[in-house]
Amino acid sequence: LWKSMLAPYVMKLCIKSAKDLAKKDFFGLSDPYIKVSVVGDDMQAYPHFTAQEEEVYKTSVISKTLHPKWNEDFDFSLSSPVGTVILDLYDKNVLVSEVCAGTCLVDSNDETNY
């Protein structure tokens, strides 16, 4: 009840798949995963939310593919129906630090399937 009073809106996000990713590994494949963040002064991922941007979810890593299929669903809470969801695509690499391979910005009011 306390959480629902602080964050009365719930967004359901389903991350399905990606295709034709850039080759990032030495062997010409990639180990992709997606980090999901929310942005906005009035957005609240959790009751302790204080920053402008907060990571709320990270998909599993799909190894050695340029066409990953996650099919992962999750819900997160928002204090307002207005704001932006950021989907950052990364390639997991043990030898070097992670590098963002692409970004998608989604308006939380948009019900379009991307």
Side-chain angles (χ1 to χ4, degrees):
L1 178 61
W2 179 65
K3 183 176 180 181
S4 65
M5 288 172 43
L6 288 175
Y9 300 95
V10 175
M11 177 176 247
K12 182 173 192 74
L13 189 61
C14 177
I15 299 178
K16 297 275 188 191
S17 62
K19 62 181 181 178
D20 301 326
L21 298 180
K23 298 173 183 176
K24 294 292 183 183
D25 287 353
F26 178 74
F27 297 107
L29 295 173
S30 191
D31 302 313
Y33 65 96
I34 294 177
K35 287 183 179 180
V36 180
S37 303
V38 292
V39 176
D41 291 334
D42 57 352
M43 298 191 73
Q44 183 163 335
Y46 303 104
H48 67 275
F49 182 85
T50 57
Q52 289 282 352
E53 179 177 335
E54 175 96 5
E55 183 179 323
V56 293
Y57 187 76
K58 186 165 80 170
T59 67
S60 56
V61 175
I62 307 296
S63 298
K64 301 176 185 172
T65 184
L66 300 178
H67 310 284
K69 292 181 180 168
W70 290 281
N71 292 314
E72 296 184 25
D73 297 326
F74 70 99
D75 300 331
F76 57 95
S77 299
L78 305 171
S79 61
S80 167
V82 179
T84 302
V85 178
I86 302 172
L87 304 163
D88 288 316
L89 175 72
Y90 287 90
D91 178 35
K92 182 176 181 177
N93 194 324
V94 179
L95 301 177
V96 296
S97 62
E98 63 185 14
V99 175
C100 184
T103 298
C104 177
L105 303 176
V106 180
D107 183 332
S108 67
N109 288 316
D110 189 351
E111 295 181 8
T112 305
N113 291 318
Y114 288 90

